[in-house]
Amino acid sequence: MKKIRVLGIETSCDETSVSVVEKSKNGDVKILSNIIKSQLDVHRDFGGVVPELAARAHSEIIDKIASLAIRKSKIKLNELDAVAATAGPGLLGGLIVGTVFAKTLASALNIPFIAINHLEGHALSVQLENKIDFPYLLLLVSGGHTEFTIIKKFKQYKRIGTTLDDALGEAFDKSARLLNLGYPGGPQIEKCAKRGNPNKYSFPLPLINEKNCHVSFSGLKSSIAQTVQNKKITSKFKCDVSASFQKTIGEILKIKTVRALDEMRSNVKSKSKVNIVVAGGVAANNFIRSELKNIEANEDCKFYFPSLKLCTDNGAMIAYAGIERFERGLFSKLNFKPKPRWPLDNKALFMKGKR
Ligand code: KG4
Ligand code: ZN
């Protein structure tokens, strides 16, 4: 078979990204371009993503980002085999912008359009840098999702744990807001934590004694709100709270990941080494990376962290998921409707608020 080249479009939240990914005959995968334009400046003053503004910003720039991605990839438009776009889950306005653009381009070029589940993009993104065998365990920690999912093989995903309330990135962002640290909060908390005392404050470890892989972060945020109340928010205070918060998150993730490993082993009925892929924006956090890696000392497992550009939202992971679908002839109709809610494991129960 000849080389496969897919253009991938990501517009589900606050990054407009377009990428061209190529798969060679021998199975090698290469990112030919991966242009990412973040909308941080659009949303900063509001302390979070404003859906209307996000959609408008995507629509203003998507054609330029796509042209740039094509130019950088050094291939011609007629060398593309398919156009893939995130069709959910995410903010509807942005999803419409990305999928309409993708459908139009695919029709003009007379090639297939492929609707991609954003979470499948994160789940498979590791394959852009490392060839790892199925099954593996995915810990997805982003601004919108937090879940443990067994990636049994392509299209076979079993979620074994999720958040009952806030996503982890959301907890970072909300806590940072309480500390006047700016937006997005994750990187600010990580920076501040380096100068703080992680043992200064003790925060709760929700659901830690429950024998499952679910997590909950809203109580932690309330506890930070109480700590902040009536306090003068000095630089030292911000750093100490950030360090204590991050330490708590590290503890929770370590305990729950070990539990997820056990659950995965019994689910796939194997005792062999488990590969664990950590993806999503929070996986960019170096403290959390090293805390998780400590698990390798006592458990037969190996962690994989995508490089920073592939942890956060990007078109390359969408293009790669598009290649996997293209190879199997899994194309989408042009009337495919974006789905703001679209779980990766459609048998998994909706758990938000289930406490
Ligand atoms: O995966 P992502 O780019 O977008 C979603 O799909 O949500 O994740 C964004 C989230 C934000 O909540 C942001 O604060 C968090 O990832 N994040 C971090 C770090 N960098 C980004 N959280 C903790 N530490 C970081 N270094
Ligand atoms: Zn994401």
Side-chain angles (χ1 to χ4, degrees):
M1 218 195 12
K2 68 174 191 72
K3 283 181 178 172
I4 300 169
R5 289 160 178 150
V6 172
L7 181 113
I9 298 176
E10 162 56 41
T11 54
S12 66
C13 191
D14 59 345
E15 262 100 23
T16 314
S17 179
V18 182
S19 160
V20 179
V21 175
E22 175 182 274
K23 185 167 182 182
S24 306
K25 276 187 224 158
N26 63 3
D28 284 353
V29 176
K30 200 166 156 198
I31 301 175
L32 302 184
S33 63
N34 187 24
I35 311 293
I36 305 173
K37 173 81 176 83
S38 160
Q39 300 177 354
L40 280 187
D41 295 342
V42 176
H43 306 291
R44 185 171 281 121
D45 289 349
F46 301 93
V49 180
V50 184
E52 262 307 306
L53 297 183
R56 198 178 310 161
H58 286 305
S59 70
E60 278 166 4
I61 206 166
I62 182 91
D63 54 336
K64 295 178 195 74
I65 301 292
S67 306
L68 198 57
I70 294 283
R71 207 172 335 132
K72 262 209 107 176
S73 74
K74 298 213 165 62
I75 66 156
K76 297 193 191 71
L77 269 179
N78 64 9
E79 291 175 295
L80 285 175
D81 294 292
V83 183
T86 299
L91 301 173
L92 184 60
L95 296 174
I96 291 175
V97 173
T99 50
V100 167
F101 188 89
K103 289 171 183 178
T104 312
L105 185 60
S107 322
L109 297 172
N110 201 19
I111 55 177
F113 158 70
I114 305 176
I116 301 291
N117 180 316
H118 179 83
L119 306 177
E120 183 171 71
H122 277 304
L124 302 178
S125 64
V126 64
Q127 306 288 350
L128 285 161
E129 296 175 314
N130 303 278
K131 281 247 160 312
I132 70 165
D133 290 336
F134 296 111
Y136 54 87
L137 178 65
L138 170 73
L139 167 55
L140 177 63
V141 276
S142 72
H145 298 91
T146 298
E147 61 182 65
F148 288 102
T149 298
I150 305 172
I151 310 300
K152 294 188 172 185
K153 55 181 170 175
F154 176 70
K155 274 183 86 208
Q156 268 193 35
Y157 311 120
K158 180 162 177 59
R159 196 188 73 193
I160 54 173
T162 185
T163 176
L164 304 190
D165 38 59
D166 293 350
L168 185 52
E170 200 179 346
F172 267 93
D173 293 339
K174 287 178 175 169
S175 304
R177 207 175 309 153
L178 291 168
L179 293 167
N180 299 334
L181 279 176
Y183 173 83
Q188 303 297 336
I189 288 198
E190 180 175 18
K191 208 161 111 197
C192 244
K194 288 196 181 114
R195 289 177 282 127
N197 172 3
N199 302 315
K200 176 83 187 181
Y201 299 98
S202 103
F203 296 124
L205 299 166
L207 306 187
I208 221 64
N209 295 319
E210 291 192 17
K211 301 267 172 272
N212 57 39
C213 314
H214 297 316
V215 289
S216 158
F217 298 112
S218 66
L220 192 51
K221 174 196 66 202
S222 310
S223 176
I224 291 189
Q226 276 164 12
T227 310
V228 169
Q229 224 170 31
N230 305 323
K231 286 265 177 33
K232 196 161 168 252
I233 302 184
T234 61
S235 164
K236 180 168 178 348
F237 177 74
K238 287 184 193 183
C239 295
D240 287 344
V241 176
S242 296
S244 308
F245 169 80
Q246 228 181 218
K247 182 185 155 206
T248 310
I249 298 295
E251 287 298 309
I252 296 171
L253 290 183
K254 274 192 292 189
I255 293 170
K256 291 291 181 175
T257 302
V258 170
R259 200 156 288 152
L261 272 172
D262 287 345
E263 207 152 309
M264 158 130 183
R265 287 194 183 102
S266 64
N267 196 288
V268 301
K269 298 186 178 59
S270 160
K271 289 204 166 69
S272 60
K273 191 182 207 109
V274 176
N275 288 324
I276 309 177
V277 174
V278 189
V282 184
N285 185 299
N286 281 312
F287 173 81
I288 290 177
R289 284 179 179 224
S290 67
E291 284 295 283
L292 285 170
K293 264 192 101 52
N294 285 340
I295 297 176
E296 287 177 358
N298 299 315
E299 294 280 337
D300 193 14
C301 65
K302 181 167 166 49
F303 279 88
Y304 289 85
F305 300 93
S307 57
L308 291 190
K309 241 186 146 178
L310 297 177
C311 271
T312 48
D313 291 348
N314 64 87
M317 67 183 192
I318 303 306
Y320 180 75
I323 289 178
E324 290 285 334
R325 289 188 171 260
F326 181 84
E327 287 180 308
R328 294 163 175 86
L330 298 171
F331 310 146
S332 312
K333 295 212 171 98
L334 290 179
N335 63 0
F336 188 101
K337 282 202 188 80
K339 305 188 212 180
R341 209 182 92 68
W342 186 5
L344 193 52
D345 170 1
N346 52 25
K347 293 204 187 85
L349 293 175
F350 186 67
M351 293 297 288
K352 286 223 165 147
K354 296 248 163 76
R355 295 207 61 181

